[in-house]
Amino acid sequence: MQARETLLGKSLPELEAFCRRLDFPRYTARQIAQWIYGKRVKDIGLMSNLSAKNRQTLQEHAVIGCAPPEKCQVSQDGTEKYLFATPMAEPGEQAASQSIESVFIPEENRATLCLSSQSGCRMNCAFCATGNQGFNHNLLPNEILNQYYSLPHAGQISNIVYMGMGEPFDNTDSVLASLSALTSEWGFAWSPYRITVSTAGVIPGMRRFLDESLCHLAVSLHNPFPEEREQLVPAEKAYPVKEVIRILQQYPWHKQRRVSFEYILMKGCNDTPLHARSTARLLQGLKCRVNLIPCHEIPGKPFRKSRAEDALRFQEILQRHGIICTLRKSRGEDIMAACGLLANTGKSDKETGTGRKP
């Protein structure tokens, strides 16, 4: 029997082509898109404005492609981390490592969903648990979108960030397809200015993103000195951050579309006044902001959180040079949901936080 096609993640033209193959009327594609993206149905049988015959045919040839998370852990601060199985996660001891995690972060005036774009990651950043896990596989568009589609909190989410597991521009096709579904009028119709995609600076995918999307961009900086940055972010060797910045200077940045730089502060490593002044010089002339993020300790790694006074001094130096700079608060650290901690260790809820089923 031929494998059924996945509907979630398909664009309207792709749905139209699929409907033609099934001899459906052309307008059926837009009806299907409305049921999936507009109403987020989980069952083809609920698509009531399709004829009974066409619903049956559709069920024989397609699946929506959504699945609920297998586990949810709740932090003391209200952050929730979700574990999703993927088709690569076959039963057995490798299942946990082939799965993915995403994080829901509720705040007073907003709620952010942090999505993964890969299982594992190829970038091997020294301070990141996901990178230490290694690369497993790229996610398909429906696997990216399912992290939003299947959540009970989906209606509360005000912002989406591609800052979970993986390097988005190492999986550019799927990421751009998922962004199209999120922002198109036939899709979820999100404003692109409520979505941010993070990168270590993978230039080929970043260029496509800048040309094909209006979403915000976040670049993982972490050190202004090339030799030191390469020790933290090996992508520096292939894609120097100075070249990344040169490219970014060619694009318009404004209140609607922003570029920001993520900078994890590590005690005695990259948090000195010299690092702050050099960061300011590096970013001179680029309309941007810097987010200073506390380092989250990973077992076996030497990196530690900067002292509060050193973080404040770093922020003040950047602000004196005219750079908008924010000190971020840590969220979900007790359940390994904070920045750089997503790793699919396979530990039980009891070992890693307060667990519950979604």
Side-chain angles (χ1 to χ4, degrees), residues 49-64:
N49 59 352
L50 275 64
S51 69
K53 179 182 177 182
N54 285 353
R55 286 200 302 271
Q56 181 178 349
T57 300
L58 192 60
Q59 287 174 322
E60 291 171 356
H61 290 86
V63 294
I64 291 178

Side-chain angles (χ1 to χ4, degrees), residues 181-207:
L182 283 167
T183 60
S184 294
E185 57 84 20
W186 50 259
F188 294 107
W190 272 60
S191 166
Y193 306 131
R194 292 166 56 199
I195 301 172
T196 301
V197 180
S198 177
T199 180
V202 178
I203 289 175
M206 185 186 77
R207 282 187 180 275

Side-chain angles (χ1 to χ4, degrees), residues 127-132 163 264 296 298 336-343:
F127 50 82
C128 179
T130 309
N132 293 335
M163 295 183 182
I264 295 178
H296 300 112
I298 300 173
M336 300 293 283
C339 182
L341 296 182
L342 301 184

Side-chain angles (χ1 to χ4, degrees), residues 99-140:
S99 299
I100 56 171
E101 293 177 329
S102 56
V103 181
F104 173 74
I105 308 167
E107 298 176 79
E108 185 175 354
N109 297 315
R110 57 190 283 164
T112 301
L113 178 63
C114 180
L115 298 179
S116 293
S117 56
Q118 296 177 312
S119 174
C121 185
R122 253 188 279 261
M123 296 299 105
N124 196 30
C125 294
F127 50 82
C128 179
T130 309
N132 293 335
Q133 173 186 329
F135 175 74
N136 295 316
H137 62 276
N138 285 327
L139 300 186
L140 297 172

